[in-house]
Amino acid sequence: MNCRKVSHSISAYADGELPGMEHRAVHEHLKMCESCRDDYEGILETKRLFGAMPMPSPRSEFVQIVMQRIREEEVISPRHVGFWRMLEERFRLHPTMPQGAIVAASLAVFGVLLMGQKLNRPELTLLSSADEALEAAPATMVFSEQSATSFSPMRMLLSQKQYTLSAPHPPAFHWETSRNNLSGSFLQQVSLGRAN
Amino acid sequence: MDFAKLFGVAAKQSRREFDTLVNRCHRQAYNVAYRLTGNHADAEDLTQESFLRAYRFFDRYNRDMPFENWLYRIMSRVFIDELRKKPKHKSISLDAPLSLGGSGENEVTLEIPDFTSDPALMILSETLEETLQKALLSLPDEFRVSVILADIEGLSYEEIAETMNCSLGTVRSRLHRGRKLLRQRVQIAQTKEKLNGEGLLR
Ligand SMILES: [Zn+2]
């Protein structure tokens, strides 16, 4: 093994992540090459330094805040179970119906429904959070058809594969989010920015 | 079948399970978020958002994977995606021109204190911690996530690959390059500090 090759493997060597053969080869090289040995020491020191960084503490009420936001998000779903089941059945009855039309219709109905019920929860973002969730979901999270046990309308929407179709958002959906406990932070800026 | 009731019970159950997980993991998650963002406000946002999304997709969580790792996967996606859309923050110029009589990274010769000889020294000085955090923030996002997961959270390459949805080879090269950059930046910062102390730099 030459120095060039070793230099590329040295970090993985320090982590004990090299396959046996390669590990031994690097090991042998280090015995006789001072420059690579220096490199190796450097990697070890860097690992040690960053590993020694202290752990900052979140606010003491942090867990409470998270769970509160989760409960808030769920408040919408039980109320609309009937609606979503109706939507599902509708979907099954008319498999040939243009999907864009279904999306548009269901979004509109849902929007009207929300407005009609005066759902007074400005801290909740409906479409925009579905948006974000979808985008933030790792590629391996595939949205499947099965959905009857999902909790939120958002998930149902997603799992029916309707969300992925592009339909213009009815204006009812553009009411905005203002997260009560977060100010000036990047996530908020992003979600506000997208709705415009 | 009482759909609504079933719904409510299931929701309550999964909320309870999730509550336990939040309690168990939030410190660790916050730590990662803090090292990724470098400040408390963004760290809190990032952690909250990650938990929220984890909850939204909780029915897709594969229990074979430690929950923490799954959460980091979500967090790294939120972090990389959202931060990219944000206007670039001021770049920290740890690597501002500083002539030390050489061009290669190995020319900088200031030594990082050897902690192995004295474990008590493992408590980092505030300045050093700041230097390290700045060095982290100067890394490209993917490198930063990799280094934090490996060196601060102690994840294996396989776990990091799973978390970041990339190959083992990619993890290897990100860590390799990330650490090289970190070492370089820390050394430069410390050299500057030293020269500063001697009144050679303003
Ligand atoms: Zn060598």
Side-chain angles (χ1 to χ4, degrees):
Chain A
M1 227 183 203
N2 59 25
C3 293
R4 232 180 72 109
K5 262 188 153 173
V6 168
S7 120
H8 278 285
S9 304
I10 205 80
S11 207
Y13 175 81
D15 289 327
E17 292 269 4
L18 282 182
M21 287 279 283
E22 217 180 328
H23 185 91
R24 274 191 295 278
V26 173
H27 186 78
E28 288 308 312
H29 183 92
L30 288 184
K31 277 192 197 164
M32 50 188 208
C33 178
E34 205 184 324
S35 134
C36 286
R37 214 158 46 228
D38 284 350
D39 246 22
Y40 174 61
E41 291 298 328
I43 297 284
L44 285 185
E45 262 168 11
T46 309
K47 270 170 66 75
R48 239 176 268 135
L49 272 177
F50 284 89
M53 286 180 94
M55 203 164 145
S57 291
R59 293 191 274 158
S60 57
E61 62 272 32
F62 186 77
V63 174
Q64 248 177 305
I65 294 170
V66 171
M67 292 315 291
Q68 177 62 28
R69 284 189 63 188
I70 282 171
R71 272 191 300 275
E72 280 167 359
E73 186 157 306
E74 277 205 332
V75 168
I76 337 166
S77 47
R79 288 206 220 179
H80 299 289
V81 167
F83 167 70
W84 288 104
R85 192 169 45 172
M86 180 270 286
L87 200 72
E88 260 190 310
E89 281 163 11
R90 186 62 54 87
F91 191 60
R92 262 188 240 113
L93 283 174
H94 303 283
T96 53
M97 189 172 164
Q99 301 208 325
I102 296 181
V103 178
S106 51
L107 288 180
V109 174
F110 188 47
V112 168
L113 212 89
L114 285 173
M115 298 308 274
Q117 296 204 355
K118 294 197 192 86
L119 196 69
N120 195 11
R121 313 198 67 78
E123 70 272 26
L124 287 184
T125 128
L126 288 172
L127 253 188
S128 104
S129 48
D131 238 330
E132 289 168 16
L134 195 70
E135 280 179 29
T140 48
M141 279 185 181
V142 180
F143 301 108
S144 63
E145 301 269 5
Q146 45 90 24
S147 73
T149 53
S150 305
F151 308 122
S152 77
M154 232 112 68
R155 275 195 225 164
M156 288 202 173
L157 198 64
L158 291 171
S159 58
Q160 285 169 13
K161 287 192 179 161
Q162 295 181 19
Y163 186 78
T164 52
L165 301 161
S166 60
H169 301 172
F173 265 87
H174 283 214
W175 49 265
E176 233 338 274
T177 70
S178 71
R179 290 206 212 121
N180 40 3
N181 47 359
L182 311 168
S183 57
S185 49
F186 71 85
L187 287 171
Q188 188 180 25
Q189 285 162 7
V190 166
S191 76
L192 288 174
R194 192 178 309 151
N196 293 335
Chain B
M1 172 172 71
D2 189 343
F3 205 67
K5 198 172 169 189
L6 200 75
F7 224 64
V9 171
K12 215 173 193 173
Q13 257 174 12
S14 93
R15 208 163 54 221
R16 200 169 303 140
E17 188 190 353
F18 202 77
D19 189 285
T20 313
L21 290 169
V22 175
N23 266 295
R24 194 183 81 199
C25 308
H26 76 281
R27 281 171 207 287
Q28 215 63 35
Y30 189 83
N31 185 30
V32 173
Y34 184 83
R35 292 308 167 198
L36 280 172
T37 60
N39 69 77
H40 283 286
D42 284 348
E44 183 161 306
D45 259 15
L46 181 56
T47 315
Q48 280 193 25
E49 193 61 27
S50 305
F51 273 123
L52 234 69
R53 286 183 199 193
Y55 188 71
R56 263 175 228 151
F57 293 95
F58 199 37
D59 54 349
R60 297 170 207 284
Y61 162 52
N62 172 5
R63 264 74 173 168
D64 292 340
M65 192 181 194
F67 179 77
E68 288 87 340
N69 294 7
W70 187 62
L71 187 70
Y72 297 153
R73 174 193 279 195
I74 295 171
M75 186 180 278
S76 66
R77 277 299 288 262
V78 176
F79 169 71
I80 289 172
D81 293 351
E82 305 280 295
L83 220 70
R84 239 173 224 158
K85 292 179 213 139
K86 196 187 174 188
K88 270 275 172 262
H89 27 228
K90 261 193 291 167
S91 62
I92 297 129
S93 57
L94 281 175
D95 49 357
L98 175 68
S99 176
L100 290 159
S103 53
E105 62 206 60
N106 296 324
E107 307 289 338
V108 187
T109 49
L110 193 83
E111 282 303 310
I112 294 168
D114 180 12
F115 290 122
T116 42
S117 53
D118 185 358
L121 275 177
M122 281 303 274
I123 297 160
L124 305 184
S125 73
E126 234 168 82
T127 336
L128 183 51
E129 190 198 338
E130 214 183 297
T131 303
L132 296 181
Q133 182 66 56
K134 278 185 185 165
L136 273 177
L137 292 179
S138 73
L139 287 186
D141 298 342
E142 279 91 354
F143 291 12
R144 200 187 316 171
V145 174
S146 309
V147 170
I148 290 173
L149 291 181
D151 292 345
I152 298 182
E153 286 307 298
L155 264 58
S156 71
Y157 283 21
E158 208 174 319
E159 287 173 308
I160 298 172
E162 205 179 15
T163 301
M164 299 191 72
N165 204 19
C166 65
S167 71
L168 278 176
T170 306
V171 173
R172 212 169 125 168
S173 103
R174 279 177 186 167
L175 277 173
H176 171 68
R177 291 162 66 193
R179 284 186 186 139
K180 259 193 146 147
L181 284 171
L182 284 177
R183 182 161 167 76
Q184 218 174 316
R185 297 202 167 148
V186 171
Q187 285 178 327
I188 291 171
Q190 293 197 326
T191 307
K192 262 188 184 170
E193 214 175 277
K194 195 183 165 209
L195 294 180
N196 238 329
E198 291 167 5
L200 297 171
L201 271 182
R202 272 193 302 152

